[in-house]
Amino acid sequence: MTDPLLETRALSKSFGALAAARDINFRLERGARHALIGPNGAGKTTFINLLTGVFLPTQGKVLLEGRDITTMQQSARVKLGIARTFQINRLFRGLSVLDNVYMAVAERLGAGAQMMKPAGMRNDVVEEAMRLLDVLKLSDYAGHRVSELPYGRQRLVELAIALGLEPQVLLLDEPAAGVPSTESHIILDAVAALPKQIGVLIIDHDMDLVFRFAERITVLVGGAIFAEGTPKEIGADQRVRDVYLGKAHHG
Amino acid sequence: MSAPAYDLGRHPAALALVNRHRLRVWEPLPWILALAFYFAFPNHLGFGTDLLVTILFALSLDLALGYAGIVTLGHAAFFGAGAYTVGMLAHHGIWNEPISGLLMGASVAALIGFASGLILLRTTGLTLLMLTLCTMALLEEAANMGEKYTGGFDGLPNLPIPPLFGLFEFNPLYPRVQYLYVLGVLFLCFIFVRTLVYSPFGRSLTGIRENVLRMHAVGAPVNWRLVTCYTISAAIAGIAGGLWAQANAYVNLSTLSLDRAATVLIILVLGGYGRLYGAFIGAVVYMALSHFLAQVYPTAWQLGLGLMLVLIALFARNGVIGLWDMLRNRLMAKGATMRATKSGPS
């Protein structure tokens, strides 16, 4: 058996007395459609931050294709193909949609350090950014400022930026959060249409999204893995229903 | 790339990005005005030279503050470093050829910018502000104490600056040569800065200013970009300081003072930061205004400047250029609605 695409071994993170991640052993396979669910404060976003290098773990390891990247800097991990979207929009709000995507593509193609050539003359970057906007049906908004877009479209720009990095691993932190239900299909369609070879880990509260999208589900409770399995198994697991799904149905 | 070429021409936003760096019609205007000033006011070229040096200094600050969002109150550190390098080399008879002297001033300033930037730029906000201030204060005090080399409190007067290209004499009473020399250097530096801010590197600086977390997340080496930008900005400030020392043929502690650092900040805020031409507008407005106010109210002229700054801070966050943009947008919007109403109800 070859190494999984992304793996954590006994990953733990404490903030003082609070154990935000406890002994997490997790595997994300190539081309996987994996979901991470759990009640509020279960440590889902912390887990993403550990994978992307925002925080360094207190203990344990993060491996990408068997290579130890536990202490690697955030930007270096991006170069290796780990991209994420943020739970709360983290866009260049004052810039146009095209500029936002340009920024990501420029970094991937190594244009970001170039000083003596106009940005617009890197046609390769502009072309690829436009192609991405086409794929996500955003090209009509290319010239708009991000802050002028409806929220659902802004979430799509998040996705466009992440895809502009041509990731092997894509971590989606609540891609549909805050999007009105009239617009949420845009996000769902875009997530469903992601390239097959990317390993996708999605965090969401939206059970429709999770069960429609995921082939495998991990349930996180109190910073530790509580259960893992296919959607069918998780849906049938009485303990999971009690701690999580049950509550979700009631409220 | 294996993918077929994308037809950028068919999309207005892509076309706008591709053509963003193109020269606009009005862009030669400041340079024409600067040359016109030379012929129209031959008796005010001292003031003019000072103005051009200030523009260059403000331009260097714009790169760091306006584009990369590096909040600094100590930019005179680099102005002074450039000025003292030129001054000390000339005073001690080591080197006084103007152009190479300027490059040495730029190098020393860049070195200080690089070394301090490596440490300072790990911080942000108020901490960064205080640390930049401290760096400048340290240099000022060093220049004050090192009397043997720097002339201490009195500075170094009567610097022997030889003719430019061995031909054009710097005359302190009729600074014609100085004016054209400074204008030439400003022009070259401006072309450089303009190229830089329109480059992918310049875009990434804007990205860092807009959202540093996102820049980390797209894989940009944020700290390294900031240090690079700060070093370049310091070098240009060093050139401005070197020009100041050469044009005035002296150097003193005022080149390293908080007063100078604060003034250039005010100028940039006044003109509009992150806009390339804010440095020009700000310097002209500030210097013309202080000139005028000092004549009309010799004792209280700074009050007028202070009031204006308060008004700018309250009502025109993006400075004079921002105000202009806002008015133009309003007028255009009004024009659009009027055309829409004229064409009848829809």
Side-chain angles (χ1 to χ4, degrees):
Chain A
M1 182 78 199
T2 54
D3 290 311
L5 180 57
L6 187 68
E7 184 182 9
T8 70
R9 288 189 194 152
L11 199 68
S12 302
K13 174 73 185 175
S14 309
F15 298 102
L18 175 75
R22 283 186 292 162
D23 201 26
I24 298 178
N25 291 299
F26 174 84
R27 292 166 71 99
L28 183 74
E29 305 296 340
R30 284 177 187 74
R33 293 293 181 268
H34 201 130
L36 186 66
I37 63 173
N40 276 328
K44 302 184 295 289
T45 298
T46 301
F47 184 58
I48 297 266
N49 283 335
L50 288 170
L51 295 179
T52 51
V54 176
F55 304 141
L56 293 182
T58 320
Q59 259 171 22
K61 276 188 176 152
V62 182
L63 302 150
L64 181 71
E65 297 185 297
R67 178 176 169 190
D68 190 342
I69 59 163
T70 313
T71 57
M72 194 177 269
Q73 279 208 335
Q74 218 179 330
S75 55
R77 295 187 202 210
V78 175
K79 294 270 184 287
L80 289 181
I82 302 183
R84 72 175 293 183
T85 65
F86 288 92
Q87 188 178 356
I88 300 159
N89 272 342
R90 291 253 171 84
L91 297 164
F92 307 111
R93 296 183 60 80
L95 306 184
S96 75
V97 171
L98 178 57
D99 273 326
N100 269 265
V101 181
Y102 182 98
M103 217 71 91
V105 177
E107 290 304 330
R108 180 171 60 76
L109 296 178
Q114 204 170 10
M115 293 186 182
M116 288 296 120
K117 190 172 186 177
M121 304 240 315
R122 279 298 297 245
N123 281 5
D124 52 338
V125 181
V126 185
E127 282 172 13
E128 189 162 335
M130 282 308 297
R131 249 185 233 121
L132 266 168
L133 293 182
D134 277 350
V135 169
L136 293 173
K137 302 190 176 65
L138 275 172
S139 29
D140 289 345
Y141 300 88
H144 289 234
R145 263 186 200 212
V146 166
S147 53
E148 294 167 358
L149 292 191
Y151 196 69
R153 305 271 176 205
Q154 291 189 22
R155 300 299 289 166
L156 275 187
V157 179
E158 280 271 341
L159 203 56
I161 289 178
L163 289 177
L165 302 170
E166 247 180 31
Q168 299 187 63
V169 177
L170 181 59
L171 309 167
L172 302 173
D173 197 352
E174 301 202 25
V179 178
S181 52
T182 46
E183 288 179 30
S184 65
H185 69 277
I186 306 174
I187 309 288
L188 296 185
D189 294 347
V191 169
L194 287 174
K196 285 275 176 290
Q197 69 277 15
I198 303 179
V200 182
L201 177 65
I202 189 167
I203 296 184
D204 219 300
H205 284 297
D206 184 339
M207 286 306 130
D208 289 340
L209 174 65
V210 166
F211 279 91
R212 177 177 143 186
F213 162 88
E215 290 152 0
R216 197 159 183 85
I217 297 176
T218 299
V219 186
L220 210 60
V221 177
I225 292 184
F226 182 78
E228 187 172 326
T230 62
K232 220 175 192 172
E233 290 163 1
I234 295 295
D237 188 328
Q238 193 53 47
R239 295 181 312 139
V240 174
R241 297 186 77 93
D242 288 344
V243 299
Y244 187 60
L245 298 179
K247 276 185 205 161
H249 282 301
H250 290 301
Chain B
M1 291 273 109
S2 54
Y6 188 99
D7 181 14
L8 295 173
R10 72 182 169 82
H11 204 290
L15 215 54
L17 176 56
V18 168
N19 291 320
R20 187 184 282 154
H21 62 280
R22 295 274 160 82
L23 211 61
R24 280 173 282 272
V25 210
W26 52 267
E27 282 191 274
L29 191 65
W31 308 102
I32 295 170
L33 286 176
L35 277 177
F37 184 92
Y38 175 81
F39 293 108
F41 302 101
N43 297 322
H44 292 86
L45 291 181
F47 171 79
T49 307
D50 208 17
L51 179 64
L52 294 178
V53 170
T54 308
I55 291 175
L56 183 57
F57 186 29
L59 191 65
S60 78
L61 181 65
D62 200 19
L63 192 57
L65 179 86
Y67 283 91
I70 301 170
V71 188
T72 165
L73 195 51
H75 222 52
F78 309 120
F79 187 90
Y84 269 96
T85 305
V86 166
M88 281 156 66
L89 288 175
H91 180 81
H92 298 290
I94 302 166
W95 194 267
N96 58 8
E97 197 282 315
I99 292 177
S100 48
L102 218 49
L103 291 177
M104 290 183 213
S107 312
V108 171
L111 205 66
I112 297 176
F114 178 75
S116 63
L118 278 181
I119 304 162
L120 300 191
L121 295 171
R122 294 170 183 277
T123 66
T124 53
L126 202 55
T127 320
L128 178 59
L129 196 77
M130 295 317 289
L131 287 175
T132 56
L133 193 63
C134 289
T135 313
M136 185 176 69
L138 282 173
L139 282 180
E140 189 185 6
E141 203 43 42
N144 189 22
M145 308 263 287
E147 211 173 332
K148 204 170 142 194
Y149 308 101
T150 63
F153 188 76
D154 298 325
L156 302 168
N158 304 321
L159 298 174
I161 306 292
L164 188 62
F165 307 121
L167 290 173
F168 306 103
E169 195 90 42
F170 282 7
N171 183 337
L173 292 178
Y174 302 99
R176 295 176 155 264
V177 175
Q178 283 96 314
Y179 184 87
L180 292 178
Y181 169 55
V182 173
L183 184 60
V185 175
L186 172 63
F187 182 71
L188 292 178
C189 290
F190 176 77
I191 298 288
F192 175 74
V193 173
R194 192 184 185 282
T195 311
L196 201 64
V197 300
Y198 282 111
S199 72
F201 175 81
R203 297 306 298 160
S204 80
L205 294 180
T206 307
I208 291 171
R209 185 195 67 208
E210 286 276 319
N211 196 331
V212 67
L213 287 164
R214 168 57 78 181
M215 270 328 259
H216 280 294
V218 299
V222 169
N223 202 258
W224 190 240
R225 294 270 161 83
L226 286 176
V227 171
T228 310
C229 168
Y230 198 59
T231 306
I232 294 171
S233 165
I236 296 170
I239 291 176
L243 286 172
W244 189 88
Q246 290 173 343
N248 294 314
Y250 66 81
V251 55
N252 62 20
L253 287 180
S254 82
T255 57
L256 284 166
S257 66
L258 174 60
D259 193 39
R260 185 172 301 275
T263 303
V264 75
L265 192 61
I266 291 172
I267 282 171
L268 200 57
V269 171
L270 205 61
Y273 52 86
R275 286 155 184 270
L276 219 47
Y277 286 96
F280 290 74
I281 306 263
V284 170
V285 170
Y286 179 91
M287 291 188 65
L289 209 68
S290 53
H291 198 74
F292 167 77
L293 286 172
Q295 278 178 349
V296 185
Y297 307 104
T299 50
W301 64 276
Q302 283 180 316
L303 188 69
L305 274 180
L307 275 176
M308 196 170 96
L309 199 66
V310 170
L311 288 178
I312 288 273
L314 281 177
F315 301 111
R317 285 289 171 80
N318 292 319
V320 176
I321 297 190
L323 210 59
W324 164 251
D325 282 352
M326 202 171 75
L327 282 176
R328 199 185 50 184
N329 288 344
R330 288 233 176 126
L331 284 175
M332 275 163 69
K334 199 169 258 179
T337 36
M338 272 168 71
R339 272 195 298 280
T341 39
K342 254 186 201 159
S343 65
S346 53

